[in-house]
Amino acid sequence: MNVLISKLFILFSFCLIFENVFSQKIDSSFNTNISSKISPSKFIVSDIIISGNRNTRKYIILREMRINVGDSIEPSEIHRKLSESKDLIYNSTLFSIVELSPIFKDSNKVVIKVNLIERWYIYPSPVFKLADRNFNEWYKTNHADLGRVTYGVKFSHNNLTGRGDDLDIFLLNGYSRNFTVGYSNPYINKDLTLGLSIKAGLSQNREVAYKTNYFNKSLSYNNSYLDKTVFYVGGSLKYRRGFYKKHSFSLIYNYNKINDTLLSSSFNPHYFNLNQSSISFLDLIYKFQYLKTDNVNYPLRGLIYEIGILKRGFGWSGGINMFSISASYNKYYKLRYKFYGSIETSGNLKLPFEQPFINQGAMGYGSYYLSGLEYYVIDGVASNISKFKLRKKILDVKIPMPIKNRWVPYIPLSIFAKTFVNTGFAYNKDEYNTRLNNRFLSTYGIGVDLLSLYDVNMNLEYSFNQLGEKGLFLHFKGSL
């Protein structure tokens, strides 16, 4: 296993070494073509013509452009600014197709044409949600039990007033209940720098994870009653002055209630670190994000990094009180011959180290997992995951729609073959130690990614882990 990991990493590093040389050749050829046609010292942007924005306000689109009417641009800068503007507009997730092209009017004037196709914004759709952490656990561990399904309806409008504002309503029942309403407006001031979001939700669950055992399996208490109730309400203020940097400040009120039985010595008296079955607390959160990439949902080139600070509760120790710092750094490289490399690393630190069970979750939830260890939960008060991937685009087609419409003229389909290596570490105090805690973790494998309309992607991976296990895993992601 170690030999294979070394070979994969060497191949990955070799590709990254030559990335800058290849990308410079592509950019220089584009600039040479422009300079050969027209060679003034600078171009003046005389107009920006936008078409296809039936619902989206024009100023929302102009907000994402690195070019303004009246700008003087050097010929060597046109390609870069158009490319960055295209990425910014696309990453607003308001459009399925974004095309920018320059039209040269005379020796020193240029008109920028922006052709857009808006996404379908309204989603009144049925919901079929699994009670388990991921599809693999539901299918294998719980034998695809349909009784462990939450169903209902979801209503989302992703561009309610044409300003990129979102309205979400969830009404779910079945294995658990969930009622959620939220509204987010990215721009509430004239300068388009401030945004605001509010959200409230109530969930009730029949199954409550109360402990992680030595084998890193989540132990759950399950009966016919709704034994856990969670209510929250909160809001966020967001600040974005430039193009790539975002700040957000959030305040959330939380209420948790569980069955008294779960606090007994037979289950977990450290669930809240308090001798009470219900608790209220506040979360105060600050988050900074730098995002400069071609596709926020499936990046192939660019850079994303984040820093987050969370203060939970009013005290500094005991009960649910916690101070947490998290950070991530993701770099994506476009290589030659349709190869793409990436390095993704993220980590979290929680203080003090004596934390209740509800604050100890680390690996195995959401996107914070090691490929090949999806069936395991690895708690920790300090953790890190690093992922190295090498992808090769093997298919890129556009499938025509049988019925013509203005939202989806065709269905794009891209297929990537990939190889990957994941590493990780999760520290926890000795009294909560398990066989995967406090040790270096590594997995590796091969896979296929299918990327389609609205950046919905399916990841099929065959992974190996250091426990000698191997298997096929399926993951779904996207912006719907």
Side-chain angles (χ1 to χ4, degrees), residues 6 47 133 155 161 208 235 275 304 311 319 328 334 388 390 447:
S6 299
D47 197 7
R133 292 178 299 108
F155 174 82
T161 65
V208 183
N275 188 26
I304 303 174
K311 179 63 185 76
S328 64
K334 181 180 180 181
F388 310 90
L390 180 64

Side-chain angles (χ1 to χ4, degrees), residues 378-420:
I378 309 173
D379 296 335
V381 291
S383 63
N384 170 262
I385 287 179
S386 295
K387 299 183 177 183
F388 310 90
K389 285 188 288 188
L390 180 64
R391 289 174 284 183
K392 162 74 172 177
K393 183 182 287 188
I394 58 177
L395 181 67
D396 191 11
V397 296
K398 297 177 181 178
I399 304 172
M401 288 292 290
I403 301 175
K404 290 186 177 181
N405 62 86
R406 63 184 174 91
W407 298 284
V408 185
Y410 57 83
I411 298 177
L413 176 63
S414 299
I415 299 179
F416 297 82
K418 67 180 179 182
T419 181
F420 57 86

Side-chain angles (χ1 to χ4, degrees), residues 235-253:
S236 298
L237 180 65
K238 302 176 182 181
Y239 175 68
R240 180 187 176 213
R241 184 176 180 179
F243 293 99
Y244 304 113
K245 298 177 181 179
K246 299 179 182 179
H247 303 262
S248 67
F249 304 86
S250 304
L251 182 63
I252 304 171
Y253 167 80

Side-chain angles (χ1 to χ4, degrees), residues 86-95 119 244 246 287 289-306 330 332 344 391 451 454-457 477-480:
K86 178 181 178 180
D87 291 345
L88 285 162
I89 295 173
Y90 188 81
N91 283 336
S92 70
T93 68
L94 297 175
F95 307 98
R119 297 191 179 194
Y244 304 113
K246 299 179 182 179
K287 182 178 178 181
Q289 180 188 65
Y290 178 90
L291 191 154
K292 186 179 181 182
T293 184
D294 59 330
N295 187 330
V296 65
N297 292 302
Y298 193 84
L300 292 175
R301 55 178 171 79
L303 174 65
I304 303 174
Y305 60 85
E306 297 181 356
N330 304 330
Y332 304 92
E344 303 174 353
R391 289 174 284 183
L451 179 66
Y454 294 177
D455 305 326
V456 173
N457 59 89
K477 301 177 183 177
S479 59
L480 287 178

Side-chain angles (χ1 to χ4, degrees), residues 133 209-219 268 270-271 348 350 353 355-365 368-369 373 375-385 424-439 441:
R133 292 178 299 108
Y210 64 87
K211 184 184 291 186
T212 301
N213 67 13
Y214 174 78
F215 298 98
N216 294 96
K217 296 293 185 178
S218 180
L219 302 181
N268 191 351
H270 300 290
Y271 190 90
N348 185 274
K350 303 170 185 176
F353 285 165
Q355 288 295 325
F357 176 74
I358 63 166
N359 289 348
Q360 288 183 1
M363 302 179 191
Y365 299 92
Y368 197 68
Y369 66 90
L373 289 173
Y375 295 128
Y376 299 98
V377 175
I378 309 173
D379 296 335
V381 291
S383 63
N384 170 262
I385 287 179
F425 184 87
Y427 168 77
N428 219 348
K429 298 190 67 175
D430 290 340
E431 59 186 300
Y432 305 117
N433 193 26
T434 67
R435 64 172 176 167
L436 295 179
N437 274 111
N438 306 325
R439 61 183 293 192
L441 304 172

Side-chain angles (χ1 to χ4, degrees), residues 28 64 94 104 125 144 198 211 257 287 379 399 421 442:
S28 62
E64 304 300 331
L94 297 175
F104 302 100
S125 58
I198 53 175
K211 184 184 291 186
K257 186 181 189 314
K287 182 178 178 181
D379 296 335
I399 304 172
V421 176
S442 61

Side-chain angles (χ1 to χ4, degrees), residues 26-43 67 73-83 100-104 106-107 109-110 112:
I26 294 172
D27 289 344
S28 62
S29 64
F30 180 91
N31 294 330
T32 301
N33 291 337
I34 284 188
S35 299
S36 64
K37 294 178 181 179
I38 306 174
S39 56
S41 58
K42 287 186 178 182
F43 288 108
I67 298 175
I73 306 175
E74 295 183 2
S76 60
E77 290 290 297
I78 290 182
H79 173 244
R80 181 180 64 83
K81 287 184 176 291
L82 288 178
S83 178
L100 276 71
S101 56
I103 300 175
F104 302 100
D106 52 40
S107 60
K109 290 187 179 180
V110 61
I112 306 301

Side-chain angles (χ1 to χ4, degrees), residues 462-477:
Y462 195 83
S463 307
F464 302 81
N465 64 37
Q466 64 194 80
L467 302 176
E469 300 170 338
K470 57 187 176 182
L472 191 64
F473 297 88
L474 183 65
H475 297 280
F476 292 95
K477 301 177 183 177

